[in-house]
Amino acid sequence: MSDSAGVSAAGRGAGRLEGMERLANLGWGEWDLVSGEIYWSPQLYRIYERDPALGPPGEGEAVAGDMPMRVAAVEAFRRSERVDVVTRVRVGGRVKHLRTVADAVRDADGQPLRVYGIVQDVTEQRVGAERLAEVERTLAAEHELAARLQRIILPIPAEPIDLPGLRVAVRYLPAGTGTAGSGRAAMIGGDWFHAAALRDGSVLLAVGDVAGHGTQAATTMAQLRHALRALAVVTSDPGALLQHLNQLIWELEADDPELAATAVIARFDPRRHELVWAQAGHPPPLLSRGGRTAPLPRPAGPMLGVVDGARYADAVIDLTPGDMLLLYTDGLVEERRRGPDVGLDSVIAAVDDAVRTAPEQPLTEMLARLRRANPDDDTCILAARPRA
């Protein structure tokens, strides 16, 4: 990829993130306790009606709308837990209702390294609850908002992407989409993926599934995906990452007891051609090697949010040129009438056939052949092939 293409992609990513902030009327900030650096997103300045040219307020500078975030951060230090509060503050001569969510990234000894927080202006929700409820009852508005969220927070690459020692292709099939001309509306859900290079030269891959459809599922999916990106700065161990995501879902279930999520996370070391992976109640990856495809034996790990403080075991395999790895969500294999085993057999047959038909470009061929087993469920597919 050229430098100009990289800059363009970065610009589009920043635009999507800012668009999501405006859509949800929320901003975010980070406080690096090591360097002392403080960062505010553009929407955070708008919420607090502060001139961006002034930069974020320093430790000794009092800003009325900023105090709840700082108080919440201090509480996060003391209790070693995530803080979620709604406060009434006066900003720019008028009262606003601001929801602040704050947490701390800690080292192995529990010492805080970085505080990050999200501030959302919920004034309209509080003042106009009846109007908001009416909008939420409109199914078309729900689908439109969820679809916008999905496009913003989960952009799907149209072509395979090259990462260190690995080529990755992704396909997303939203629920409710049948054949062309069926007239069925797409229902956005909580299936997600992640594929990115880490600072040590390895690659982090993930696929996850949040139960349900609509804005709530899409929002939870976004929280998981962004949390994974942030946590990967601290650790790249798949089992440890799942432990952190489990605690996030455990806390979110306090507001939504029916919340359920699964995930599989893998780290590929291109120097050693080694894949370390862990799963949380998720279908195991498929490994295609030598023309034969089979699911990997699953290491132990419960669904996310089911067990407080759950542990997740890692499994290690070799992944060498000629192999192909397939991560997917259960919509690919779970057929409503015939069960997951029949759907899995169909997927394995499609993968084997794709490798035989196009051994040099099996990723593209395979994604073209795979179909969703359950039309009422989303499907996210991530295929990876080591490069020589």
Side-chain angles (χ1 to χ4, degrees):
M1 179 183 295
S2 67
D3 291 344
S4 60
V7 173
S8 176
R12 289 195 300 270
R16 282 194 294 264
L17 182 58
E18 187 169 350
M20 184 180 71
E21 289 188 21
R22 286 179 175 271
L23 181 65
N25 200 12
L26 60 84
W28 62 278
E30 293 186 2
W31 181 8
D32 191 324
L33 300 178
V34 178
S35 66
E37 181 182 1
I38 300 175
Y39 174 79
W40 276 21
S41 71
Q43 188 66 13
L44 204 54
Y45 286 102
R46 298 187 187 99
I47 291 174
Y48 293 152
E49 300 180 18
R50 179 179 176 85
D51 184 356
L54 298 176
E59 294 187 42
E61 183 180 355
V63 176
D66 181 47
M67 292 310 297
M69 183 175 178
R70 296 183 181 228
V71 171
V74 172
E75 291 299 318
F77 288 154
R78 292 174 178 171
R79 300 200 302 262
S80 298
E81 63 183 28
R82 174 173 169 266
V83 173
D84 190 338
V85 295
V86 176
T87 53
R88 294 175 73 253
V89 298
R90 184 171 294 277
V91 181
R94 57 196 178 97
V95 174
K96 289 186 177 183
H97 296 266
L98 300 182
R99 179 190 181 194
T100 303
V101 181
D103 205 344
V105 174
R106 301 172 182 274
D107 61 19
D109 298 324
Q111 295 300 313
L113 300 175
R114 178 186 297 268
V115 176
Y116 59 92
I118 297 174
V119 177
Q120 183 177 26
D121 187 346
V122 295
T123 306
E124 288 297 321
Q125 289 92 317
R126 292 297 180 101
V127 175
E130 292 183 359
R131 181 180 61 188
L132 180 62
E134 181 179 355
V135 172
E136 291 179 337
R137 286 194 299 267
T138 304
L139 188 60
E142 171 77 5
H143 284 175
E144 180 183 357
L145 178 58
R148 273 198 269 174
L149 280 172
Q150 198 274 340
R151 289 193 297 268
I152 292 170
I153 61 184
L154 192 68
I156 306 298
E159 301 294 335
I161 57 176
D162 287 329
L163 296 169
L166 208 63
R167 172 160 286 190
V168 176
V170 180
R171 189 180 187 194
Y172 181 86
L173 301 172
T177 52
T179 57
S182 65
R184 298 186 65 184
M187 297 184 293
I188 304 302
D191 290 33
W192 58 276
F193 80 95
H194 179 75
L198 300 176
R199 290 181 297 178
D200 63 0
S202 61
V203 176
L204 192 67
L205 305 174
V207 163
D209 186 359
V210 178
H213 298 95
T215 307
Q216 183 59 48
T219 301
T220 304
M221 173 263 284
Q223 290 174 301
L224 283 173
R225 190 167 186 256
H226 290 306
L228 177 61
R229 293 183 63 180
L231 291 166
V233 176
V234 181
T235 178
S236 62
D237 177 69
L241 290 169
L242 284 175
Q243 289 179 38
H244 290 299
L245 295 185
N246 177 69
Q247 292 306 117
L248 172 62
I249 295 297
W250 178 267
E251 294 172 5
L252 291 176
E253 283 184 329
D255 298 325
D256 184 3
E258 296 183 359
L259 184 62
T262 67
V264 59
I265 300 176
R267 184 188 72 238
F268 174 66
D269 184 341
R271 294 178 294 271
R272 303 172 63 183
H273 292 288
E274 180 182 83
L275 185 86
V276 181
W277 72 283
Q279 63 82 36
H282 199 85
L286 298 179
L287 177 65
S288 175
R289 174 175 291 167
R292 299 189 62 182
T293 303
L296 296 176
R298 289 203 309 178
M303 291 178 61
L304 297 176
V306 174
V307 180
D308 186 15
R311 298 286 180 174
Y312 296 86
D314 286 331
V316 182
I317 65 167
D318 293 330
L319 191 65
T320 59
D323 294 343
M324 185 163 60
L325 185 74
L326 185 71
L327 311 183
Y328 56 94
T329 54
D330 58 9
L332 182 66
V333 298
E334 290 190 354
E335 297 195 15
R336 290 175 295 180
R337 296 181 178 85
R338 297 191 291 173
D341 291 340
V342 175
L344 181 60
D345 290 342
S346 299
V347 171
I348 289 176
V351 174
D352 289 344
D353 192 40
V355 173
R356 285 192 300 268
T357 303
E360 298 303 319
Q361 294 183 326
L363 297 185
T364 303
E365 182 71 20
M366 182 190 63
L367 293 183
R369 291 170 181 264
L370 292 178
R371 296 290 183 270
R372 180 198 314 99
N374 183 358
D376 295 328
D377 197 4
D378 304 81
T379 297
C380 186
I381 307 165
L382 186 153
R385 188 186 190 201
R387 295 183 295 146

